Amino acid sequence: MATMTDVRRAADRFHTKAGWLDSHHSFSFSRHWDPANTHFGLLLVSNDDVVAPGTGFDTHPHRDMEIVTWVLEGGLVHQDSEGHNGVIYPGLAQRMSAGAGILHSEKNDSWTITGQPEHQDPVRFIQMWVIPDAAGIAPGYEQLDINDQLARGGWTTLASGMGKHANQRAIGIRQKHAALHVARLRPEETVGTVTAPFVHLFVAKGEVALEGTGLLHEGDAARISAAEGQRITAGAAGAEVLMWEMDAAVNVS
């Protein structure tokens, strides 16, 4: 199968603006619905969210979903019905398995946890959902600081359920056909995509040149089918890139 690349520009994403929330959706989400844009591979949601200070998502339910949150700026307070709570910050890999059912909230009010003075800084984070490979599992939570690994350059396996990553991933997900990698690229640094049936590349910060495609700016994504290690080169200011590797797709039959 020949490699095919579908570039989705930042400005073309669905947009939700709700005062306290400024959110851009890579796929159909909430009131935004396009039957031709519901997923890529196993990835159902990739939301680029900015939340104002002192606000956020009140307690709400999830079920049968692997939810990975990656903070780019600020701190996000996570609390759930399994007793987990804390502040997610840049470089902290975090995953919540909704499984048989979980309640959680996400707010920009880190001072309620840390005791530090109240701030007026927004929080920006990317939240990504993939379906699990089994329904009704016990809800779970996992996190790990990977700033040291990111500082070394190249790709870091942020989250994976693939057997080949068992000894190198930061955190696990309950989906044996998916993995998420992240890179904080130095100016002009080059890495390659993985070789996989489905690769979703998202430019979280900066800009990159994707071999055979051209420039991708902040907020742009490339959906690559039959990826074969295409080169990615950061621009003059560097870049932060998220890459989903998937060897299966959602069954829509």
Side-chain angles (χ1 to χ4, degrees):
M1 179 179 176
T3 299
M4 296 181 61
T5 302
D6 178 9
V7 173
R8 302 294 178 112
R9 297 297 179 184
D12 296 330
R13 295 174 294 179
F14 299 119
H15 186 207
T16 296
K17 179 72 172 175
W20 61 273
L21 172 67
D22 192 353
S23 182
H24 290 85
H25 318 291
S26 294
F27 302 96
S28 294
F29 189 80
S30 185
R31 63 183 175 85
H32 302 287
W33 178 253
D34 176 359
N37 184 27
T38 59
H39 69 282
F40 180 72
L42 295 164
L43 183 62
L44 302 180
V45 169
S46 181
N47 289 345
D48 187 347
D49 292 339
V50 177
V51 173
T55 69
F57 299 95
D58 290 326
T59 301
H60 57 282
H62 288 285
R63 186 181 182 89
D64 289 329
M65 199 64 65
E66 297 293 288
I67 300 174
V68 180
T69 301
W70 183 248
V71 172
L72 297 170
E73 299 171 9
L76 183 69
V77 173
H78 167 95
Q79 295 180 305
D80 66 44
S81 54
E82 294 292 302
H84 305 109
N85 69 83
V87 181
I88 312 169
Y89 53 82
L92 184 71
Q94 188 255 24
R95 177 267 301 158
M96 184 181 76
S97 296
I102 197 168
L103 300 170
H104 83 141
S105 65
E106 296 161 305
K107 294 191 174 183
N108 183 8
D109 58 359
S110 59
W111 57 87
T112 63
I113 298 290
T114 65
Q116 295 178 345
E118 186 172 338
H119 63 74
Q120 294 300 313
D121 301 321
V123 58
R124 180 184 172 210
F125 60 98
I126 312 300
Q127 188 167 94
M128 299 153 282
W129 302 4
V130 295
I131 60 170
D133 52 31
I137 64 173
Y141 180 93
E142 189 177 5
Q143 67 179 41
L144 185 70
D145 188 308
I146 58 173
N147 278 295
D148 287 348
Q149 295 95 311
L150 290 170
R152 299 184 191 121
W155 292 112
T156 295
T157 303
L158 191 165
S160 178
M162 293 180 164
K164 65 182 181 180
H165 298 137
N167 297 319
Q168 65 187 70
R169 68 192 184 195
I171 56 177
I173 55 173
R174 186 63 181 267
Q175 176 46 264
K176 61 187 177 183
H177 297 293
L180 173 62
H181 312 276
V182 60
R184 285 182 183 159
L185 300 176
R186 304 180 185 92
E188 313 299 338
E189 182 179 352
T190 296
V191 292
T193 69
V194 292
T195 298
F198 304 96
V199 167
H200 186 272
L201 190 71
F202 180 77
V203 183
K205 288 186 175 183
E207 66 178 27
V208 301
L210 176 61
E211 181 183 5
T213 299
L215 280 179
L216 298 176
H217 304 280
E218 184 168 318
D220 289 350
R223 305 177 186 185
I224 309 173
S225 302
E228 294 184 338
Q230 285 80 359
R231 288 175 296 181
I232 303 163
T233 303
E240 187 162 333
V241 185
L242 294 161
M243 177 178 64
W244 279 97
E245 169 188 1
M246 298 166 285
D247 58 21
V250 174
N251 185 352
V252 295
S253 61

